[in-house]
Amino acid sequence: MAAAGLGFAHGAPAISQEALSNNDRFYAEGRYLPTYLELKAKAEAGDVAARQMLSQFASFLGDEATAVGTMERPPHPSLARPDLDDAVARDAIEAIVEAARDTRIVILNEAHNVSGHRAFAARVMRALRLLGYDWFAAETFTSPQPDPHVRISSYVRGAPFLSSYGYYTHDPVFAEMVREAARLGYRFADYEQRFDQNAPDDADGELRIATREEAQADNLIANILSGHPEARIFVFVGYSHALEKPGRGGTWFAARLKAKTGIDPLTIEQSMNWPAITPGNDAPHVAAVLERFAPEKPVVVAKGAESVASPAYVGKMDMSVFHPRMEPVAGRPGWLAADPERRKVVIAVPPLDELALVQALPLQEG
């Protein structure tokens, strides 16, 4: 660092400094591996919170076996497979494009431990741009903070992608989607609940959900639609935030946004439809679709006028995307190789005596 011009004085006494925590090393230095190993050790020791955190964090490193496999369990025997007689499967991107023509807001959800959901979101984002969609908002984008803070709205093509833009954007697949969106001409907005919009400290779970969802809907309107009433918006959310009807704890973001704007969004579920690492752990509705259609690419399935979905989401979103089970390609998840915009890169790694993480950084960002 002295060579970079910090100007340390010769002969100055050394200043003692506490070692950075693994969490600090992650945020300050982009060192993923120490935090990953710490979470893994805690999870193996029985720490339930660390286990859930590990599931999400492992997706940042491309460790799909840990990210997905850590949380999966065999389905409960009481859960029955849906009847798929006379059901029809369609290419998911084609179905989304067709439906997205008739609205100005598309809301797609994800599971926070499945990096492949972000890869699919990138494909949706590309397809929507051709329809004139020009704004990209994501739940993970950091909202205004009490201290001065750089927001995603300032991000432009070619600029360094900052860790402060969001938490799940620490997944390189997510960050690369945002970089590509900038290249395609999207503008960005955050809409997450601000610190001054929090529910009271003594609020129960339902009030906390209601307060957050109301704030998210108000913020999206304020940050995009108020100043750009003709905007066409792609919104990327987690889990139930895409529900158009009450369910799983209350009235969620998509339903509130619809009521406030009069715009009927296209709502798309994928969070409950990812194949398990162990096939026997597939949810019954996922197992039924994979067995009935053996898809080789993401599909939406409908029986009559109703979209086939997870029981918790049936009838509450417009369509439900099912992903195929894919074999790894060159040691990496198959869905990466399936993306036509990705290319294979081979590098030489010297022999190592310990676990290591190889990171590729965009050279043009400096």
Side-chain angles (χ1 to χ4, degrees):
M1 291 178 70
L6 292 186
F8 292 116
H10 291 291
I15 299 175
S16 62
Q17 179 179 330
E18 292 184 10
L20 292 177
S21 68
N22 285 339
N23 204 44
D24 289 336
R25 295 167 78 189
F26 169 52
Y27 283 106
E29 302 175 356
R31 292 172 61 89
Y32 289 64
L33 196 54
T35 295
Y36 168 79
L37 294 174
E38 180 181 42
L39 287 171
K40 201 162 191 177
K42 288 181 177 180
E44 290 171 353
D47 187 324
V48 176
R51 182 170 164 271
Q52 182 170 354
M53 194 70 181
L54 172 65
S55 176
Q56 297 180 6
F57 199 87
S59 71
F60 301 170
L61 284 76
D63 181 3
E64 192 167 49
T66 299
V68 178
T70 293
M71 301 305 292
E72 68 184 39
R73 294 291 183 273
H76 194 278
S78 64
L79 296 175
R81 292 190 180 193
D83 179 7
L84 297 184
D85 287 345
D86 301 322
V88 177
R90 294 185 58 196
D91 178 270
I93 295 294
E94 291 178 4
I96 290 170
V97 167
E98 181 180 303
R101 297 182 192 278
D102 298 327
T103 185
R104 294 196 290 116
I105 301 177
V106 173
I107 303 175
L108 172 69
N109 77 358
E110 71 157 8
H112 292 321
N113 62 326
V114 181
S115 186
H117 285 160
R118 295 152 191 168
F120 180 73
R123 299 176 70 176
V124 172
M125 176 267 297
R126 294 174 201 140
L128 293 179
R129 188 70 184 103
L130 299 176
L131 298 180
Y133 283 76
D134 53 354
W135 283 85
F136 179 36
E139 176 187 308
T140 197
F141 292 154
T142 307
S143 60
Q145 303 296 308
D147 299 322
H149 192 83
V150 178
R151 295 168 65 183
I152 191 65
S153 56
S154 66
Y155 178 66
V156 295
R157 176 180 180 177
F161 195 90
L162 305 179
S163 63
S164 57
Y165 286 148
Y167 180 70
Y168 296 111
T169 50
H170 285 99
D171 177 356
V173 176
F174 201 144
E176 186 56 28
M177 171 173 57
V178 180
R179 291 186 178 97
E180 185 178 2
R183 293 194 294 271
L184 292 174
Y186 276 92
R187 300 173 70 179
F188 303 101
D190 60 74
Y191 67 92
E192 182 56 280
Q193 178 183 31
R194 300 190 307 271
F195 69 95
D196 60 328
Q197 296 172 315
N198 290 339
D201 292 340
D202 60 352
D204 62 17
E206 287 194 11
L207 179 57
R208 289 180 184 278
I209 289 174
T211 302
R212 182 185 181 194
E213 305 310 298
E214 187 77 1
Q216 287 185 336
D218 287 342
N219 292 344
L220 189 83
I221 293 168
N223 294 346
I224 302 179
L225 290 171
S226 292
H228 307 273
E230 299 306 314
R232 306 193 81 182
I233 311 167
F234 176 44
V235 190
F236 194 40
V237 309
Y239 302 103
S240 298
H241 298 285
L243 285 170
E244 282 192 61
K245 298 179 181 179
R248 295 176 66 88
T251 301
W252 296 79
F253 162 72
R256 293 172 187 270
L257 184 65
K258 180 178 179 178
K260 290 173 180 289
T261 64
I263 299 171
D264 185 6
L266 173 62
T267 51
I268 309 163
E269 146 68 6
Q270 62 171 339
S271 65
M272 299 294 184
N273 303 338
W274 193 259
I277 298 297
T278 303
N281 291 338
D282 283 334
H285 67 289
V286 174
V289 168
L290 296 183
E291 183 178 307
R292 170 72 172 78
F293 297 105
E296 296 182 354
K297 55 188 175 182
V299 297
V300 295
V301 180
K303 185 170 182 177
E306 187 171 87
S307 177
V308 174
S310 166
Y313 291 149
V314 168
K316 294 181 171 63
M317 296 189 215
D318 292 315
M319 60 178 64
S320 191
V321 175
F322 290 83
H323 294 272
R325 176 171 282 108
M326 306 188 76
E327 294 297 322
V329 175
R332 304 290 289 120
W335 48 264
L336 282 170
D339 187 335
E341 296 298 317
R342 291 186 171 274
R343 58 190 176 86
K344 180 180 178 180
V345 175
V346 179
I347 63 171
V349 180
L352 299 166
D353 296 327
E354 57 187 354
L355 187 66
L357 175 66
V358 177
Q359 295 173 260
L361 308 176
L363 184 64
Q364 68 273 20
E365 293 185 10

